[in-house]
């Protein structure tokens, strides 16, 4: 904040406008997809001419990649915050509660809604660029979850049926499988899938 305030006003406005373009584009990409998103519509909502966008970004591809970087960075922080803010609860409640948190986030979190679309429907012309950014994000989340499971098992004196890394991968696979229901079906279908699958997952990964 203080760095921006110390800049000349023209530079400050430039930065603010760039972020506004990014944020409006995020909503449009999330709602309409890459191909149906119009720079004209983005510019209109921002309150500038379409030509003015090119003072901030080279074009639609660069805007998309900027939005993707922003969404991944934001969602990484949101997921980390979920686990940190619930760390004093039991591991079972934390993992089960993640699905409820995910459901609510999918309604109101523009970054998550954008990533939901991008992961399964990347722009054909940016498929590799998208994959190169998304895959490291998923790998990092897997590693963080593995460490979290190891630490929680020590605190709660739990014995797992498999290695932390295998359980983390299983949980991510389960959450992704249920998550698809939020994309292609109704919320009730998602809840039914979670309610059926999670107890089996939990029974299978920890030893009494």
């Amino acid at each position: 904040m203080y760095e921006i305030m110390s800049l000349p006003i023209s530079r400050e406005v430039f930065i603010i406008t760039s972020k506004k373009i990014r944020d409006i584009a995020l909503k449009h990409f999330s709602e309409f997809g890459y191909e149906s998103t119009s720079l004209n519509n983005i510019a209109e909502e921002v309150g500038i001419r379409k030509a003015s966008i090119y003072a901030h970004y080279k074009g639609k591809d660069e805007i998309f990649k900027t939005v993707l970087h922003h969404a991944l960075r934001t969602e990484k922080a949101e997921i980390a915050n979920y686990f940190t803010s619930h760390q004093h609860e039991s591991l079972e409640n934390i993992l089960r509660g993640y699905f409820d948190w995910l459901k609510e986030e999918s309604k109101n979190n523009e970054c998550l809604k954008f990533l939901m679309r991008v992961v399964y429907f990347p722009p054909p012309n940016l498929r590799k660029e998208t994959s190169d950014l998304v895959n490291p994000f998923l790998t990092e989340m897997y590693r963080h979850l593995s460490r979290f499971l190891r630490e929680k098992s020590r605190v709660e004196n739990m014995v797992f049926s498999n290695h932390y890394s295998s359980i983390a991968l299983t949980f991510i696979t389960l959450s992704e499988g249920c998550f698809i229901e939020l994309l292609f079906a109704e919320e009730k279908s998602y809840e039914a899938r979670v309610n059926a699958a999670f107890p089996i997952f939990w029974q299978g990964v920890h030893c009494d």
Side-chain angles (χ1 to χ4, degrees), residues 16-176:
I16 292 173
T17 303
S18 294
K19 290 182 177 179
K20 191 171 183 180
I21 293 170
R22 181 199 67 192
D23 293 343
I24 297 300
L26 170 65
K27 291 197 305 179
H28 285 235
F29 285 134
S30 174
E31 184 174 356
F32 307 115
Y34 175 84
E35 294 181 352
S36 297
T37 291
S38 162
L39 292 186
N40 278 324
N41 292 339
I42 293 174
E44 182 178 353
E45 190 167 344
V46 172
I48 60 176
R49 295 177 301 157
K50 176 183 175 181
S52 298
I53 287 180
Y54 295 99
H56 302 268
Y57 301 96
K58 294 179 181 178
K60 190 174 174 181
D61 287 0
E62 186 178 12
I63 296 175
F64 178 85
K65 286 184 281 188
T66 299
V67 168
L68 181 55
H69 272 287
H70 170 68
L72 289 170
R73 184 169 57 251
T74 300
E75 202 53 33
K76 175 184 173 181
E78 292 291 335
I79 293 172
N81 181 64
Y82 169 80
F83 283 96
T84 300
S85 62
H86 291 79
Q87 62 182 330
H88 298 300
E89 299 179 23
S90 70
L91 181 59
E92 180 179 5
N93 286 344
I94 292 172
L95 296 181
R96 177 58 184 84
Y98 177 78
F99 291 95
D100 296 330
W101 175 83
L102 198 60
K103 180 181 66 176
E104 294 305 312
E105 287 290 297
S106 70
K107 299 175 185 177
N108 307 310
N109 187 326
E110 288 294 341
C111 287
L112 181 57
K113 289 192 286 186
F114 167 76
L115 290 174
M116 286 169 63
R117 178 184 284 272
V118 166
V119 168
Y120 295 102
F121 307 107
N125 62 313
L126 295 173
R127 188 178 299 274
K128 185 179 184 305
E129 291 90 337
T130 300
S131 178
D132 287 345
L133 290 173
V134 171
N135 287 338
F137 167 81
L138 295 175
T139 299
E140 188 172 2
M141 292 300 99
Y142 155 71
R143 289 174 179 169
H144 280 303
L145 180 57
S146 295
R147 288 195 293 269
F148 183 82
L149 291 173
R150 181 184 61 201
E151 292 167 3
K152 283 295 290 183
S153 68
R154 290 173 179 173
V155 171
E156 297 184 17
N157 295 317
M158 295 182 60
V159 178
F160 288 132
S161 60
N162 289 281
H163 193 269
Y164 314 109
S165 59
S166 296
I167 294 174
L169 187 59
T170 301
F171 181 78
I172 290 173
T173 302
L174 173 61
S175 61
E176 287 181 350

